[in-house]
Amino acid sequence: MSFQIKSDKKETENKTIRFPVPLINEIEAALEGTHTSFSGFVIQACEYALQNMVPTTQKKDNLN
């Protein structure tokens, strides 16, 4: 499944996060002409990452 930028509005809560400037520039360039906000992109990217993560097993064992 490939990542696709889409417009979406949902109930939200504010969080503060710092991004490296080069990453911000790349994201903003990718968003040109999409009618999608920076926040919308970050939300979609996080959802995509969560849905496509390789599951970890026995998280407690990894902490030791």
Side-chain angles (χ1 to χ4, degrees):
M1 169 189 256
S2 63
F3 180 74
Q4 296 180 348
I5 300 171
K6 57 188 172 193
S7 180
D8 195 17
K9 302 277 183 183
K10 297 179 182 178
E11 182 181 352
T12 62
E13 179 178 327
N14 288 333
K15 294 288 181 184
T16 301
I17 185 168
R18 295 173 188 254
F19 286 86
V21 173
L23 181 58
I24 290 171
N25 293 337
E26 283 189 71
I27 293 169
E28 289 176 343
L31 292 176
E32 286 182 21
T34 66
H35 304 288
T36 302
S37 67
F38 187 91
S39 292
F41 173 85
V42 171
I43 291 166
Q44 291 174 60
C46 290
E47 289 171 342
Y48 179 84
L50 289 169
Q51 291 169 3
N52 293 282
M53 284 176 52
V54 175
T56 56
T57 57
Q58 300 180 357
K59 291 181 182 180
K60 291 181 182 178
D61 288 344
N62 292 337
L63 296 175
N64 295 329

